[in-house]
Amino acid sequence: MDVALAFLGVALIAMILWEVFNDLFHPAGTGALSDWLGRGFFTVFKRWPRFLPIAGPVALVTVICTWVAGLVIGFSLVYFHAYPADFRTSVGTTPAASSRLPSVLYFSFETLVTLGYGDLVPRTSLMRVASTIEALIGFGLLTASVSSIVLLYPALSRMRVLARGVSHLVTAEKESGLSIVDTGSDVVLNSHARDVTHARTDLVHFPMVYYFAPDDPRASVARWTRDLTRFATDARSPGRPEHVRLAGAALDAALHDFAAILDGRFLHTQSRDRQHIFESYSRDHLVNG
C-alpha cells in the first residue's frame, strides 16, 4: 500500500511539473491549469461586476498555491512509505510513528520552500536525494513564479496604454469635430497597429492578462475594438492617400490577428466574423464595445 502511495506521489509531482511547464514555458498551448482557473474565477466574479477586477489576481494566486499544494502532497506521499524509519530528529532519535501524515506534510512543505529547520532530517540516501530534488524544484518554482509576475504587469500596462490611447483619440475626435483619417496622418494608425500587435503577443505569452479586467472600463481594450475597426475601415477606403491606406491595412491586419487569438484561446465562438468576435469580447468583459 505504501509503495502504491509513493508511485501516486511521483505521478502527482509529474503532473504538477507538467502544468508548471505549460503555464510558464509553453503559454501558447491550451488546457493549462491557469486557463481553467482563470476562466472559472472570471465567470464567477462576473456575477458581481464591481469585483471583476480582482478575478485575475485571485486566479493567479490560486494557480501558484495549487502548484505548491500539489508538490507538497506529492512529495509527502513519496516520504510516507519511508517514515519514520528513514528519518531522524535533530537529536538523532527516530520520530514518533503516531504523527506520520502530519510529519511528512510538514517536512515536505519546509523542504519545498527551502526553510530547512533541521528538526526532521532524512537518514537514508534515497530520502536525501528525494528531499534535495524537492528543494531544487521549490527554488525553481519560486523563481519562475516571481519572474512571471514581474513580467505580467508590463504586459498589462501595454494593454492599458492601447485602451487609453484609443479613448483619448475618440474624445479628441468628438471635441474637435475631426476624424483621424481625415487629417491624412498615418503615424497614429501605425502606432495603434503596433500596440494591437503587442496586445496580441501579450495574450499569447501571458494568457492570464485576459482575466485582469481594469477598474475603469475606459482602460479596457474590449471597449475600443469597434473604434479601432472604424479607424482601419475608414483609412482603407478609396480616395485616401496611399500612406494612410497602407497604415489602415496594417491596423486591419493587426486587428484580424488579435481577433483570431481572442477567439481561439478565450472566446471559442467558432466565428469567422471579426466584429462578432469583438462583440463577444466586449460582452465577456462587461463593457460597451
Side-chain angles (χ1 to χ4, degrees):
M1 179 65 178
D2 288 352
V3 175
L5 288 176
F7 280 110
L8 179 61
V10 172
L12 180 58
I13 293 167
M15 184 181 70
I16 293 296
L17 291 178
W18 179 248
E19 289 294 339
V20 173
F21 174 81
N22 279 332
D23 282 330
L24 296 181
F25 305 111
H26 188 236
T30 58
L33 179 65
S34 59
D35 283 335
W36 185 77
L37 288 175
R39 172 51 63 184
F41 279 108
F42 197 74
T43 300
V44 170
F45 280 99
K46 279 170 64 176
R47 300 175 183 175
W48 302 278
R50 62 181 295 187
F51 297 111
L52 188 59
I54 69 172
V58 170
L60 181 61
V61 171
T62 303
V63 168
I64 295 175
C65 289
T66 302
W67 292 341
V68 171
L71 289 172
V72 167
I73 294 173
F75 276 100
S76 295
L77 294 176
V78 172
Y79 302 138
F80 189 79
H81 82 283
Y83 189 91
D86 292 352
F87 289 83
R88 291 292 182 269
T89 65
S90 58
V91 295
T93 60
T94 301
S98 57
S99 57
R100 192 177 181 186
L101 181 59
S103 295
V104 293
L105 284 171
Y106 164 74
F107 176 75
S108 179
F109 183 76
E110 74 164 356
T111 302
L112 186 72
V113 297
T114 65
L115 286 176
Y117 288 128
D119 52 343
L120 189 64
V121 295
R123 182 179 67 88
T124 63
S125 298
L126 181 60
M127 290 299 98
R128 287 172 179 169
V129 169
S131 61
T132 301
I133 292 173
E134 183 178 16
L136 289 173
I137 290 174
F139 179 77
L141 180 64
L142 174 62
T143 304
S145 298
V146 171
S147 298
S148 65
I149 292 173
V150 169
L151 293 173
L152 180 68
Y153 282 91
L156 285 170
S157 178
R158 287 188 289 270
M159 297 284 282
R160 303 295 187 262
V161 167
L162 171 59
R164 286 293 186 179
V166 179
S167 171
H168 295 157
L169 188 57
V170 171
T171 300
E173 284 185 322
K174 291 178 180 178
E175 292 180 352
S176 66
L178 299 173
S179 170
I180 178 60
V181 296
D182 289 335
T183 65
S185 174
D186 60 333
V187 176
V188 175
L189 295 171
N190 282 321
S191 175
H192 284 318
R194 180 199 61 213
D195 292 343
V196 170
T197 301
H198 282 162
R200 188 261 183 202
T201 303
D202 287 334
L203 286 176
V204 171
H205 292 290
F206 308 101
M208 188 64 73
V209 166
Y210 182 88
Y211 305 111
F212 278 71
D215 293 315
D216 186 351
R218 291 175 299 177
S220 174
V221 176
R223 180 170 181 172
W224 303 109
T225 52
R226 181 177 299 173
D227 291 285
L228 284 166
T229 302
R230 174 173 60 84
F231 295 159
T233 302
D234 290 349
R236 293 168 60 232
S237 61
R240 301 292 183 189
E242 291 183 353
H243 61 281
V244 173
R245 285 193 286 121
L246 180 61
L251 177 56
D252 187 75
L255 288 170
H256 180 78
D257 284 349
F258 186 59
I261 194 66
L262 285 174
D263 194 52
R265 188 65 190 265
F266 305 102
L267 299 172
H268 308 294
T269 68
Q270 307 299 323
S271 175
R272 294 180 179 273
D273 184 351
R274 185 175 69 189
Q275 192 56 39
H276 176 69
I277 295 171
F278 285 154
E279 288 172 357
S280 298
Y281 181 33
S282 298
R283 288 194 300 271
D284 200 34
H285 278 249
L286 305 180
V287 298
N288 296 320

